[in-house]
Amino acid sequence: MSEEHTYSVTMEEQEYIYPSYEFVSQANMTDPKIREKMSLDNFPYYYKEFADMLEWDEYWHTMLDTSDAPCWRWFVGGRLNASYNCIDRHLKEHKNKTAIHFVPELEEEDIVHMTYQTLYMRVNEVAAVLRDELGLKKGDRVTLHLPMVPELPITMLACARLGIIHSQVFGGFSGMAAGERAWDSESEVLITMDAYYRSGKLLDHFAKAEEACKKSEEMGQTIKTVCIWQRYKGKNSSPTPMKEGRDIIMNDLVAKHKREIVEPVSMPAEDILFLMYTSGTTGRPKGIQHSTGGYLSYVTAMSHIIQDIKPTDVYWCMADIGWITGHSFIVYGPLSLGASTVIYEGVPTYPDAGRCWRVAEELDVNIYHTSPTAIRMLRKAGYDEPDKYNYKFKHMTTVGEPIEPEVWRWYYEKVGKKKAAIVDTYWQTENGGFLCSTIPGLEPMKPGSAGKTVPGLHAVVYDGEGNEIPPGAGKAGNICMVNPWPGSMQTIWKDRDRYVRTYYERYNKDPKSTDWRDWPYLTGDAAVLAADGYFRILGRIDDLINVAGHRLGTKEVESAALAVEEVAEAAVVPAKDEIKGSIPDLYVSLKPGYEPSEELEKKINNMIREVVGPIATPKGVWICADMPKTRSGKIMRRVLGSISNNEDVGDVTTLANPEIVQDIKEMVDKKLGR
Ligand code: WTA
């Protein structure tokens, strides 16, 4: 690990908490020999069970092809369709069962219960539109920029039906962010929505499409068609004018294809299902590429083993489908198992802290899945609120960031009423599904720990020199996966070199090797491995900030700040935050001739919101006379981070300009009243 990253491992290991008898007696995975069966000696053959959870048009002949290592090819020779596996195969037994419960943010609007039959009809109609109206075909990319509405999974599954690669950009991101991703994926079609609700306000979402088209065009990719879903069918809810020849109302197109059926295209297992852009350490977002067969089998198995989903369950994952958690564990995993999945449009605490528990009671949700940020928010807004409602969770998940044992306990005692088993699932966009978690019916929970690696995966923790840190050593290091798995990304879209560099170069001994044993996967996270094999994840080792469970590249935020004319230099550091875990804190210096002012702070703040999105809004914009720098001119982010978090800045005497540190600290302390 570089010297800029030091970890204090002070938190004590917590006591075990055992799952309730009610949970264990009905759990999906109760085989005590599961870990033995899935030991490294049996790799990769145990993944057959995962593949067998799907329906194949043609069965695969080679489980794992490593000839192009580290681009792993799973279930080679197999053919299947993801949309068929998530919808059609359930019709025989479950056509009349709810596939999607859509909960609009406004409580006075009715909840929509969409059966598998209805989902089937709607997906087919949209597939007909994609194929016959937009001329899209297998392998084409389409950028979606949709909020949390049923039209989002419908559009995704319609793409999957035809082998069209969807690239959904988080609805809260700016139009520019969508445009940049459309450019990178070479999308000619953007699918968006006119408006949606957030905190009781109907937001004009379509306004972002113009920005997206402009940005994409500037970068060299023309978006020829913008399709607009209507939040209220037959009504335009966006005041932004449409552009003749480019913009079309999706609902009108769909009306032309009522009840049309489109046969699912039989896809090779190794063809791409979707791209999901995620922040990297350099400015450009990475198009994480996921396969059809490997990905779908992995999320199906994880939904079964770890999420404990059965077709009879009502499952609510409160993430946004615009993140990987939503793709894997709102859409593909639960639907592949034939469960009912809940989609909630808005803010968890709208209109008050009881909203989630009312939804849970109304729909009789029994599996609940959310992030530490949401849990902290709900705990703060309504500590005793869950007591007032009569819902019963059997299982709950936390994902996305480390959870404090105290927050975990509130989740367990108040939200789960001491009955629900909790899994703390650790994983990344790149992984498709979980890396670490306890098996809920077999293993005890430990607050603040993610648990062992999930069955099938094997991990090591390396120190900076590449030596393995043994379990129980009490030292943190880089957590790496020893073996590949079917849900792992295939590569970075159009950038194999960056894929190899980012995830494999660090611990690879022979770049020519086609033996998977030579390619440990670098997660980029620091972790501590306890004597019992449980991992505690500490956070990123690279230049990424985890805001409310979402990865932001510091470089993305910094380049947005640098787009302000007056700004000469910018450095972003994570500031600790009670609710969101961390928030970007921004330090800038100005070009000669400019003076600091509150307007300028606002201007910089606005620029970041506009370019990256409100999620990146900095906690503070600190205009400094100069940045603390090493003699070689590198900005010392560690020092700025200490100032932001009111910690000791340590020894700064080796800096080129040590005196500036005190000036900055005084400015920050004064403004924050410390
Ligand atoms: C962090 C989200 C602690 C980690 C699924 C990882 C976690 C990054 C956990 C990936 C957890 C995710 N405990 N930290 N249970 N889950 N992380 O790609 O730093 O949005 O590398 O995927 O979130 O974020 P991403």
Side-chain angles (χ1 to χ4, degrees):
M1 252 169 276
S2 78
E3 47 170 338
E4 283 197 38
H5 299 100
T6 47
Y7 297 99
S8 51
V9 185
T10 48
M11 191 181 99
E12 279 178 28
E13 293 293 325
Q14 307 282 307
E15 302 267 316
Y16 285 143
I17 295 173
Y18 289 84
S20 68
Y21 171 74
E22 287 104 306
F23 178 78
V24 174
S25 62
Q26 63 78 64
N28 281 344
M29 176 47 70
T30 51
D31 178 1
K33 293 218 156 46
I34 177 79
R35 290 197 180 275
E36 256 169 75
K37 281 187 189 160
M38 300 184 90
S39 72
L40 218 44
D41 297 339
N42 299 329
F43 179 83
Y45 306 103
Y46 46 70
Y47 281 126
K48 179 177 185 314
E49 270 183 53
F50 287 28
D52 289 350
M53 297 185 80
L54 303 180
E55 259 183 49
W56 297 79
D57 305 330
E58 211 164 300
Y59 207 62
W60 43 274
H61 52 69
T62 305
M63 179 168 297
L64 173 61
D65 172 1
T66 63
S67 60
D68 188 28
C71 294
W72 317 111
R73 304 177 70 228
W74 285 92
F75 308 127
V76 184
R79 283 181 171 267
L80 77 169
N81 182 279
S83 166
Y84 176 89
N85 271 279
C86 290
I87 310 169
D88 307 38
R89 68 161 163 160
H90 306 312
L91 294 180
K92 212 165 132 217
E93 281 181 40
H94 298 305
K95 66 171 174 237
N96 201 24
K97 187 194 153 166
T98 301
I100 295 173
H101 293 286
F102 170 58
V103 183
E105 195 192 59
L106 297 187
E107 232 166 343
E108 54 272 30
E109 275 186 31
D110 289 336
I111 297 179
V112 177
H113 312 278
M114 187 181 286
T115 63
Y116 272 94
Q117 172 64 20
T118 308
L119 179 63
Y120 172 74
M121 296 311 286
R122 298 297 87 83
V123 165
N124 273 281
E125 289 160 4
V126 174
V129 167
L130 299 177
R131 187 187 62 190
D132 302 337
E133 301 287 335
L134 304 172
L136 293 165
K137 55 182 190 317
K138 182 173 167 308
D140 290 346
R141 279 82 51 209
V142 174
T143 297
L144 318 183
H145 194 201
L146 288 167
M148 283 290 283
V149 290
E151 286 79 0
L152 172 50
I154 288 172
T155 310
M156 286 162 63
L157 291 163
C159 289
R161 202 162 186 83
L162 295 168
I164 297 164
I165 301 166
H166 59 75
S167 167
Q168 152 73 5
V169 179
F170 170 53
F173 273 155
S174 66
M176 276 158 97
E180 187 182 10
R181 286 155 177 80
W183 158 73
D184 190 81
S185 63
E186 297 160 300
S187 298
E188 292 186 349
V189 175
L190 171 71
I191 303 181
T192 184
M193 190 164 227
D194 55 358
Y196 67 99
Y197 279 98
R198 190 96 199 141
S199 297
K201 277 201 282 280
L202 190 61
L203 301 184
D204 178 5
H205 185 63
F206 173 59
K208 291 180 177 176
E210 184 60 45
E211 244 172 68
C213 291
K214 208 171 124 218
K215 178 78 184 175
S216 188
E217 181 82 47
E218 269 170 31
M219 296 181 87
Q221 171 69 24
T222 307
I223 295 174
K224 294 188 181 141
T225 311
V226 177
C227 299
I228 309 147
W229 281 108
Q230 292 171 321
R231 175 64 177 75
Y232 295 101
K233 218 198 274 178
K235 187 178 157 206
N236 184 1
S237 303
S238 162
T240 305
M242 286 172 54
K243 202 162 174 182
E244 186 74 36
R246 185 194 69 187
D247 303 345
I248 331 178
I249 302 291
M250 195 66 174
N251 302 68
D252 295 344
L253 294 181
V254 173
K256 285 171 48 188
H257 294 268
K258 239 13 216 172
R259 289 183 308 287
E260 221 167 279
I261 298 300
V262 173
E263 283 309 309
V265 174
S266 191
M267 300 291 292
E270 269 300 285
D271 274 22
I272 306 168
L273 181 59
F274 66 85
L275 300 177
M276 161 75 52
Y277 281 85
T278 189
S279 300
T281 49
T282 60
R284 186 171 171 168
K286 299 180 284 198
I288 305 298
Q289 182 179 315
H290 282 292
S291 72
T292 305
Y295 170 83
L296 194 64
S297 64
Y298 198 69
V299 298
T300 306
M302 289 298 119
S303 298
H304 177 78
I305 300 171
I306 306 294
Q307 302 277 271
D308 206 61
I309 299 176
K310 302 181 205 311
T312 43
D313 289 326
V314 181
Y315 167 89
W316 182 12
C317 170
M318 221 172 53
D320 193 290
I321 298 175
W323 307 105
I324 192 70
T325 299
H327 272 50
S328 299
F329 298 110
I330 298 178
V331 182
Y332 286 111
L335 293 180
S336 173
L337 290 177
S340 302
T341 187
V342 178
I343 295 181
Y344 175 54
E345 180 179 28
V347 174
T349 49
Y350 183 84
D352 58 60
R355 183 62 189 280
C356 291
W357 322 131
R358 286 198 290 282
V359 172
E361 195 179 85
E362 167 81 23
L363 297 174
D364 198 15
V365 172
N366 63 342
I367 307 182
Y368 183 66
H369 184 157
T370 191
S371 65
T373 290
I375 301 169
R376 288 183 211 112
M377 216 161 82
L378 292 166
R379 176 173 176 258
K380 193 169 175 204
Y383 195 92
D384 295 318
E385 204 62 21
D387 298 349
K388 300 181 194 158
Y389 298 93
N390 190 24
Y391 63 84
K392 291 179 213 74
F393 292 156
K394 68 162 184 177
H395 180 289
M396 304 194 302
T397 300
T398 159
V399 63
E401 27 166 347
I403 185 164
E404 300 78 3
E406 231 178 270
V407 176
W408 190 98
R409 286 210 170 79
W410 180 79
Y411 195 38
Y412 180 71
E413 284 162 19
K414 285 285 176 180
V415 180
K417 309 186 177 187
K418 296 192 186 160
K419 292 253 163 58
I422 297 184
V423 292
D424 180 345
T425 59
Y426 160 64
W427 60 297
Q428 313 169 299
T429 305
E430 292 86 341
N431 314 144
F434 308 138
L435 298 180
C436 292
S437 168
T438 48
I439 305 172
L442 284 173
E443 294 165 348
M445 307 164 248
K446 188 155 74 171
S449 277
K452 300 181 182 179
T453 45
V454 294
L457 270 171
H458 302 272
V460 286
V461 181
Y462 287 127
D463 68 12
E465 277 75 56
N467 305 309
E468 201 174 324
I469 302 176
K475 268 193 350 201
N478 291 332
I479 175 169
C480 295
M481 298 299 134
V482 173
N483 59 296
W485 64 100
S488 180
M489 67 193 296
Q490 299 178 299
T491 182
I492 295 172
W493 172 251
K494 292 192 307 189
D495 205 345
R496 189 186 192 276
D497 285 353
R498 190 176 177 196
Y499 165 73
V500 178
R501 236 184 307 123
T502 312
Y503 304 104
Y504 290 100
E505 196 172 63
R506 176 96 186 243
Y507 293 111
N508 168 255
K509 288 185 190 79
D510 172 12
K512 291 215 172 63
S513 171
T514 56
D515 185 341
W516 56 267
R517 291 169 194 83
D518 291 327
W519 297 94
Y521 168 83
L522 176 75
T523 62
D525 284 308
V528 191
L529 173 55
D532 58 6
Y534 280 40
F535 290 92
R536 189 142 45 78
I537 310 301
L538 304 178
R540 307 287 312 163
I541 50 176
D542 47 25
D543 291 338
L544 293 172
I545 300 184
N546 190 326
V547 186
H550 306 311
R551 267 154 75 183
L552 275 181
T554 49
K555 294 277 173 358
E556 276 176 276
V557 183
E558 287 168 6
S559 15
L562 288 168
V564 175
E565 197 195 320
E566 294 89 339
V567 174
E569 291 172 308
V572 163
V573 296
K576 292 199 182 99
D577 184 80
E578 204 189 311
I579 302 288
K580 295 187 174 171
S582 44
I583 295 192
D585 209 15
L586 175 68
Y587 293 83
V588 296
S589 67
L590 303 181
K591 291 178 188 156
Y594 291 109
E595 290 299 319
S597 69
E598 258 176 51
E599 289 92 84
L600 185 53
E601 284 171 27
K602 264 203 208 105
K603 184 171 165 190
I604 297 169
N605 195 307
N606 285 340
M607 179 66 97
I608 290 167
R609 292 171 63 92
E610 203 179 295
V611 174
V612 191
I615 193 167
T617 307
K619 192 161 191 164
V621 176
W622 307 107
I623 302 180
C624 313
D626 195 4
M627 297 284 200
K629 284 188 196 128
T630 60
R631 299 231 158 108
S632 59
K634 213 172 134 197
I635 300 176
M636 285 298 283
R637 290 183 172 72
R638 179 182 61 77
V639 171
L640 295 170
S642 304
I643 296 176
S644 289
N645 293 312
N646 205 10
E647 290 160 357
D648 183 10
V649 294
D651 182 11
V652 292
T653 52
T654 57
L655 295 189
N657 52 353
E659 64 297 335
I660 198 71
V661 177
Q662 200 48 35
D663 294 353
I664 298 176
K665 188 163 167 50
E666 270 166 28
M667 167 177 75
V668 173
D669 286 351
K670 192 167 153 218
K671 185 122 177 231
L672 298 179
R674 313 197 277 224

